[in-house]
Amino acid sequence: MLSGLTLLDTVETFFDARIDLLERQLKKQRERLKSRASSLAKERREKLKTSAEDYDREFRKYKLKVSARLNRLGEAWQSARVVRTKEKFLFFYGVMNVFATALLFGLAPEWIHIVYTVQALYMIPQRFFSYSAKGWGYFLADLCYFINILTLVFVWIAPWSRQLFIAVYCTAHDAKLQIGSLATAVITWRNSLVFHDHDKMVSLFIHMYPPLVLTVARHFYTGAEERFPALRGMPRLNPISALLYSAFFHLLWQGLYWRLLLVRRREKIKSGVRITSFQYLLKDKHGPIGKMLRAVNPNRAEFYFMMGQFGYSVVTELPAIFLLYDSPRWSIAFMITIFAASAWNGGGYYIEVFGRKFERELEALRKELAATQHLDDAMDEGSGKNAPKISPKVVITQPDLLMDDPAMVGARQQKEDGLGLNPGNGPAVQVDEESRKDR
């Protein structure tokens, strides 16, 4: 009996010790698993907290960015209203100027030269200061400005000078098709009747009004011989005298131009600090004149250009001498043709240039929406499915503001346009090839 109890006690003691050891191991494992689970839960909470904080921070930054952009564009929008008001006024002035000119031509032609003088006294100095400030001052030495000054001299200082009248009349009318002359831009340089663009309207005025004044004085001004004694006893033009007088003033201008610009200012022109009509034509890769100038010896290009210009001037004066001076009907048809060309160019500007600008604005809007959606997707992936989603509507509350303001685009165009400079007409407002053509 004693030995049996001893064996039982021994077995009980053995198993109790093993069970106790197993319980301690299970408890330790349970505590380790519990600690691991707690650690994982804490780590998960920290990650979620960090992710939420990152999302909130990114969301706040995004909201601030959008808000700043909308504020900035809102300011531009308000500024654009001022610019649009200015353009509306210029449009009103341009339309009323054409309307008033037509009325004066029909009802009181004796006032045409006065209206021309009043506008010229503002527009020519204004262009001088504006072009000089932009570094385009050498375009003011072109023949168109020279003829405007000679026209004013004839009207108010020397109305008795037959030689001056003949020279100005022939040069002003031949300039419609002549390279670098008075109304060059109407056809060659594509002067445009764009009422809201002050620069284009000034260019058109400079090239259109002197021929109109001289045509009115010759054919439609009752009592013109008293106001302009040079017209007395001159029912027709003597071809030889007319060509000699006009050639004299043309060569006078050409000599001054060559001496003052091409000789004394040659270094500035070569360095690119200043640009002239000749330089503009030389760089024109698409025009026939530029191609011909680049085909000759560079050292002789200026001489060939001046001689070609003079010869073309003489040839294009012939219609004014043999046809326009004698016929009021042909003179009116001639003026209508030139005005129609400017209106056609203006229509091209409104339809083509504005249409392309609208396409660019749509493309900018498409890119803005795509960028916004990309950011939205990226933030959604980083913060989980339950994260609030940002709607693209945030940035298109005012769609027009996403694109550059039209006025700001117009300002840039004066720095672009392929340096769409407009010799005789002045540099064009730059943006693209079409805008350069429209100048």
Side-chain angles (χ1 to χ4, degrees):
M1 183 70 179
L2 181 59
S3 60
L5 292 173
T6 302
L7 179 60
L8 181 61
D9 291 339
T10 301
V11 171
E12 184 180 358
T13 300
F14 175 77
F15 280 105
D16 284 346
R18 302 298 291 181
I19 291 172
D20 183 60
L21 178 61
L22 182 60
E23 286 180 349
R24 286 198 304 271
Q25 289 178 349
L26 290 175
K27 183 178 180 180
K28 187 181 297 184
Q29 183 69 18
R30 185 169 57 253
E31 289 178 353
R32 186 163 53 247
L33 291 175
K34 184 178 179 179
S35 176
R36 178 61 177 168
S38 176
S39 176
L40 290 175
K42 184 178 180 181
E43 183 179 348
R44 179 61 179 171
R45 285 195 299 270
E46 290 295 332
K47 287 183 178 180
L48 291 175
K49 182 178 179 181
T50 302
S51 178
E53 290 177 352
D54 291 343
Y55 175 81
D56 291 340
R57 182 166 55 254
E58 292 297 327
F59 183 70
R60 286 193 297 270
K61 288 170 61 178
Y62 182 73
K63 287 178 62 178
L64 290 174
K65 181 179 178 181
V66 171
S67 177
R69 174 163 187 164
L70 290 177
N71 290 337
R72 185 168 61 253
L73 293 174
E75 293 175 358
W77 183 262
Q78 294 297 327
S79 175
R81 291 182 179 178
V82 176
V83 174
R84 286 195 299 273
T85 300
K86 175 185 175 182
E87 290 180 344
K88 287 179 182 179
F89 173 77
L90 292 175
F91 186 91
F92 170 81
Y93 169 76
V95 172
M96 295 306 296
N97 191 16
V98 173
F99 179 69
T101 300
L103 285 180
L104 289 175
F105 180 79
L107 300 177
E110 65 274 10
W111 282 86
I112 289 290
H113 66 281
I114 299 176
V115 173
Y116 161 70
T117 301
V118 172
Q119 295 188 81
L121 290 178
Y122 162 73
M123 291 185 179
I124 295 178
Q126 185 271 339
R127 171 151 290 191
F128 172 80
F129 288 112
S130 64
Y131 276 18
S132 297
K134 297 173 183 177
W136 300 339
Y138 289 0
F139 285 101
L140 300 171
D142 284 344
L143 184 59
C144 52
Y145 300 96
F146 183 72
I147 297 302
N148 272 269
I149 293 173
L150 290 183
T151 301
L152 292 172
V153 170
F154 168 74
V155 169
W156 298 106
I157 299 177
W160 42 265
S161 176
R162 179 172 297 185
Q163 295 84 358
L164 180 59
F165 170 76
I166 293 174
V168 173
Y169 183 89
C170 294
T171 308
H173 284 80
D174 89 307
K176 298 297 181 183
L177 296 172
Q178 182 184 343
I179 305 303
S181 297
L182 184 60
T184 292
V186 176
I187 293 178
T188 306
W189 300 113
R190 291 180 60 85
N191 266 180
S192 304
L193 185 64
V194 180
F195 291 112
H196 77 280
D197 191 317
H198 182 65
D199 189 61
K200 289 180 181 290
M201 292 302 293
V202 171
S203 296
L204 190 61
F205 169 85
I206 288 173
H207 297 91
M208 281 289 297
Y209 238 102
L212 176 63
V213 170
L214 297 171
T215 296
V216 168
R218 171 66 184 98
H219 295 294
F220 304 101
Y221 187 165
T222 303
E225 294 182 356
E226 284 72 28
R227 175 62 182 82
F228 303 107
L231 298 175
R232 292 175 183 171
M234 195 170 55
R236 297 180 61 86
L237 291 178
N238 183 292
I240 303 300
S241 299
L243 289 173
L244 287 176
Y245 293 148
S246 60
F248 170 78
F249 283 100
H250 184 100
L251 291 175
L252 174 63
W253 163 79
Q254 192 70 81
L256 293 173
Y257 188 92
W258 176 79
R259 180 63 181 173
L260 297 179
L261 292 186
L262 302 183
V263 174
R264 293 189 178 183
R265 303 291 188 270
R266 181 175 294 275
E267 295 302 322
K268 283 189 176 182
I269 295 173
K270 282 188 175 181
S271 65
V273 177
R274 294 290 187 271
I275 188 170
T276 64
S277 300
F278 172 75
Q279 294 296 324
Y280 171 81
L281 290 170
L282 189 62
K283 294 178 181 180
D284 185 8
K285 297 181 180 180
H286 304 288
I289 301 174
K291 294 179 180 178
M292 288 188 292
L293 290 175
R294 288 191 300 274
V296 301
N297 186 341
N299 296 327
R300 306 288 293 174
E302 291 179 357
F303 174 78
Y304 291 142
F305 175 71
M306 290 187 292
M307 292 298 100
Q309 187 179 32
F310 176 74
Y312 194 69
S313 173
V314 172
V315 171
T316 53
E317 286 175 7
L318 298 180
I321 296 173
F322 292 102
L323 186 62
L324 301 182
Y325 188 84
D326 298 335
S327 173
R329 291 185 178 180
W330 278 109
S331 295
I332 289 297
F334 181 76
M335 296 300 299
I336 291 176
T337 300
I338 299 306
F339 187 78
S342 69
W344 179 267
N345 294 338
Y349 179 87
Y350 280 113
I351 301 302
E352 298 174 14
V353 175
F354 277 15
R356 292 184 180 182
K357 189 170 90 172
F358 181 67
E359 290 178 2
R360 290 195 298 269
E361 291 176 349
L362 289 179
E363 180 65 17
L365 177 60
R366 187 192 66 79
K367 291 180 179 179
E368 181 73 21
L369 292 176
T372 303
Q373 187 62 45
H374 177 73
L375 179 60
D376 180 42
D377 294 341
M379 294 178 68
D380 183 56
E381 293 176 1
S383 57
K385 295 182 179 180
N386 296 327
K389 195 166 185 175
I390 304 173
S391 171
K393 293 181 181 178
V394 174
V395 294
I396 60 171
T397 305
Q398 302 181 53
D400 293 338
L401 299 185
L402 294 176
M403 286 71 71
D404 289 337
D405 176 74
M408 299 170 72
V409 171
R412 281 203 312 271
Q413 286 179 348
Q414 289 194 338
K415 300 177 183 176
E416 318 170 316
D417 230 327
L419 274 198
L421 302 173
N422 215 344
N425 173 22
V429 177
Q430 320 177 24
V431 203
D432 52 24
E433 184 67 22
E434 186 59 37
S435 182
R436 181 167 67 246
K437 289 180 182 177
D438 283 326
R439 298 302 298 169

